[in-house]
Amino acid sequence: MRPWLLLTAVLFPGVAAAGHDVSLGVTAVTLTNGGVYNVTTPRLGLDATYAYELGSWRLGGGLRWAPSGRGNLPVEVYARALLTPQLGRWRPAVGPELGVSGLPVILPPEGGFPDDLMRRQASQLGPAYVAVHAAPLRFDFRPFTVSALELQWGTTLNQPGATLRLQFGLVHLGVTL
């Protein structure tokens, strides 16, 4: 057994059984509400995921770290349930993601805006979000998986539709244990 697989099995007890997938990837997240808080520059980050394959479903979650830019704790924790049909080596995935994010940033308004604008903007940017996650270019080369150009579209839960969350998974490399 390779040393890094052994290390993964030691760090995550019970993960060494077949059907468990761990992956690392690079992602870009953009959060906007179309108003004063209109940050269109994506925040680059790292994404570590775990999934358990149960038939055509991938159940799991992960941790996303996006240190670029200003803001709260630049970490997100999430859970997902993805439907993944098997079409040869091609394993596209789509499904909901529910998470808690520390990424939203309130930019100080400039130029004659009301004093309570930052408070009103902050009320629209709650930490909990819901999103639809799609990985159309996901391939399985047992025991490795490769995914590129993933897309996620979502909003915060405290005021659905008040903010837009876009995430682009640039590349994910994983291993099935």
Side-chain angles (χ1 to χ4, degrees), residues 12 31 55 59 76 84 88 104 109 118 125 127 132 138 145 148 169 173-174:
F12 302 102
L31 305 166
L59 307 174
E76 291 182 334
T84 52
M118 285 183 67
L125 299 173
V132 174
R138 184 173 174 274
T145 58
L173 302 174

Side-chain angles (χ1 to χ4, degrees), residues 121-148:
Q121 294 283 317
S123 70
Q124 292 180 352
L125 299 173
Y129 70 89
V130 63
V132 174
H133 185 88
L137 297 177
R138 184 173 174 274
F139 298 92
D140 187 356
F141 302 99
R142 291 284 176 184
F144 300 103
T145 58
V146 177
S147 182

Side-chain angles (χ1 to χ4, degrees), residues 14-22 50-53 58 142-143 175-177:
V15 172
H20 297 270
D21 184 75
V22 291
Y50 163 79
Y52 176 71
E53 294 192 16
R58 291 175 47 83
R142 291 284 176 184
V175 64
T176 301
L177 304 174

